[in-house]
Amino acid sequence: MQENFSLKPYNTFGVDAKAKYFVEINSVDELRETLKLSNTQSLPLLFIGGGSNILLTKDFDGIAVKLNLKGISEKILNENEVLITAKAGENWHELVVFCLDKNYGGLENLSLIPGNVGTSPMQNIGAYGTEIKDVFVECKVLNRETVEKERFDLEKCRFGYRDSIFKQEGKGKYVILEVTFKLTTHNHTVKTEYGAIQTELNHLGIQNPTIQDVSRAVINIRQSKLPDPKQIGNAGSFFKNPTIPLAQFKKLQEKFNNIPGYPSGDLVKVPAGWLIEQCGWKGKQIGNAASHKLQALVIVNTTGNATGQEIFDFSTEIINSVHEKFGIELEREVNII
């Protein structure tokens, strides 16, 4: 265990916040020891996965834990289904590549999402018409109070849009150890209708796409729109796409006839990036923070010297201006520490 440890290399914003203590965990037994130490010493814990969904606004007066549990296993269920179980410390995109190399379908639309497997169920990660819940079977967790293992199935996780029990009443109560997905081995359902996937496939000259082709298209799109955290600090999409009542959307259409929306029953999902861009934030910089020039939804540490508080304040300015213009309250997708 190390003291006064800089977390700058462990968060994709590149914010130089420090943890009072830092430890890397490679087994469940080591995790149990750390949990017991945390409980007896009354030290709060901060679990760090890929560091791609956190904003450190201050130093952390507790134990920062890097979960390095590794391993991927597979179990053939039948002629068209396989169970893939990945430990929490596995890199998410590397898991997707592992599955594609074996021609296992279901995760291809989630290619190049940053972070680790263990954090994927927490916010029900999703992209291009696919969410974790679509292929999720179960996850094994460690109860932080009892220090015993528990199993959460699909129903128990209560997945919603970028939401789960782990962000609600279960927040801070469990550590996800591993996640199991059910994927296809032959008869894949190829999803190309969402976003610009079909356009990109057309550009590539692909008419009958495989799951590998869809992954390639998604990667091309993401790389063209989203900045690489290794080159400029960011956490991907900073805000959730807001969902508003249909009646409210229709009123907005009267004033903004080009406002995009994706209806679902009595609700409509509105792209947060479009709202932010309409308020003039795309490419705008204040101090060391900026809205990315190609994707307004992404806030970047443009100079590499931004503090977490500076980025947080920048996001507040965006929230206020969107609310003032559209009457819509944006919600941060990134976890604020």
Side-chain angles (χ1 to χ4, degrees):
M1 189 170 287
Q2 301 175 70
E3 292 186 48
N4 197 31
F5 189 88
S6 173
L7 297 175
K8 185 169 184 175
Y10 294 91
N11 71 97
T12 58
F13 264 119
V15 169
D16 191 15
K18 290 182 170 59
K20 187 173 184 179
Y21 301 105
F22 176 83
V23 65
E24 296 198 35
I25 299 294
N26 298 297
S27 70
V28 175
D29 285 341
E30 288 179 1
L31 176 59
R32 284 194 170 106
E33 287 178 26
T34 304
L35 289 174
K36 288 174 181 175
L37 177 65
S38 166
N39 292 336
T40 55
Q41 300 293 323
S42 298
L43 287 167
L45 293 177
L46 171 63
F47 286 91
I48 299 173
S52 60
N53 198 43
I54 58 172
L55 175 62
L56 300 163
T57 59
K58 56 189 175 184
D59 290 341
F60 184 70
D61 191 27
I63 309 173
V65 179
K66 181 78 170 84
L67 212 55
N68 283 340
L69 305 178
K70 300 284 180 143
I72 301 173
S73 61
E74 51 190 293
K75 178 183 179 183
I76 300 294
L77 289 180
N78 52 52
E79 60 182 19
N80 192 49
E81 293 179 317
V82 60
L83 293 181
I84 296 293
T85 299
K87 301 290 187 183
E90 289 288 343
N91 175 271
W92 175 260
H93 181 65
E94 289 177 11
L95 171 65
V96 175
V97 171
F98 171 90
C99 294
L100 289 170
D101 285 347
K102 289 178 171 286
N103 198 41
Y104 295 159
L107 299 180
E108 57 277 357
N109 291 55
L110 305 178
S111 296
L112 215 62
I113 291 179
N116 289 355
V117 170
T119 52
S120 64
M122 293 181 68
Q123 63 180 66
N124 183 26
I125 64 169
Y128 300 102
T130 297
E131 292 180 317
I132 278 296
K133 67 176 180 60
D134 301 332
V135 292
F136 180 91
V137 175
E138 67 174 26
C139 61
K140 299 283 178 59
V141 307
L142 199 68
N143 185 309
R144 287 176 57 171
E145 187 176 340
T146 65
V147 202
E148 296 296 325
K149 290 183 181 180
E150 295 182 23
R151 172 183 173 272
F152 278 68
D153 61 13
L154 179 64
E155 183 179 359
K156 195 172 179 180
C157 284
R158 296 215 292 279
F159 289 124
Y161 172 60
R162 301 294 180 271
D163 199 16
S164 72
I165 189 172
F166 304 111
K167 290 185 74 175
Q168 301 300 330
E169 62 267 40
K171 186 174 183 178
K173 295 181 180 179
Y174 307 97
V175 183
I176 297 173
L177 304 174
E178 63 181 40
V179 188
T180 299
F181 308 99
K182 184 190 288 185
L183 306 179
T184 52
T185 58
H186 296 94
N187 301 322
H188 307 305
T189 300
V190 179
K191 295 182 180 179
T192 63
E193 66 280 0
Y194 198 93
I197 293 180
Q198 190 58 58
T199 302
E200 180 62 23
L201 289 169
N202 293 341
H203 175 72
L204 294 170
I206 297 170
Q207 294 184 337
N208 298 302
T210 63
I211 55 174
Q212 290 80 8
D213 293 330
V214 171
S215 173
R216 181 183 168 194
V218 168
I219 289 171
N220 287 353
I221 296 166
R222 292 185 74 92
Q223 287 180 333
S224 70
K225 291 170 60 177
L226 300 174
D228 184 349
K230 293 175 183 176
Q231 296 177 359
I232 184 167
N234 74 91
S237 300
F238 197 91
F239 301 99
K240 295 181 182 180
N241 289 320
T243 301
I244 64 175
L246 180 59
Q248 182 183 358
F249 181 75
K250 286 183 175 179
K251 280 190 175 182
L252 285 169
Q253 275 184 315
E254 294 173 6
K255 190 174 181 181
F256 309 97
N257 58 11
N258 62 334
I259 184 172
Y262 301 94
S264 177
D266 293 330
L267 298 172
V268 179
K269 186 183 292 183
V270 181
W274 185 89
L275 297 170
I276 295 166
E277 189 171 342
Q278 297 307 302
C279 292
W281 284 97
K282 189 174 184 179
K284 185 174 180 178
Q285 181 173 339
I286 299 176
N288 298 299
S291 174
H292 193 253
K293 61 183 179 180
L294 297 179
Q295 174 53 271
L297 194 57
V298 178
I299 295 177
V300 294
N301 180 356
T302 189
T303 66
N305 298 317
T307 65
Q309 188 62 50
E310 190 174 5
I311 294 168
F312 180 83
D313 292 343
F314 185 87
S315 71
T316 301
E317 295 266 357
I318 292 175
I319 291 171
N320 291 341
S321 64
V322 168
H323 185 265
E324 184 178 339
K325 183 164 186 171
F326 296 101
I328 294 176
E329 191 78 25
L330 289 184
E331 186 180 344
R332 296 176 180 90
E333 188 172 324
V334 173
N335 292 310
I336 310 299
I337 308 298

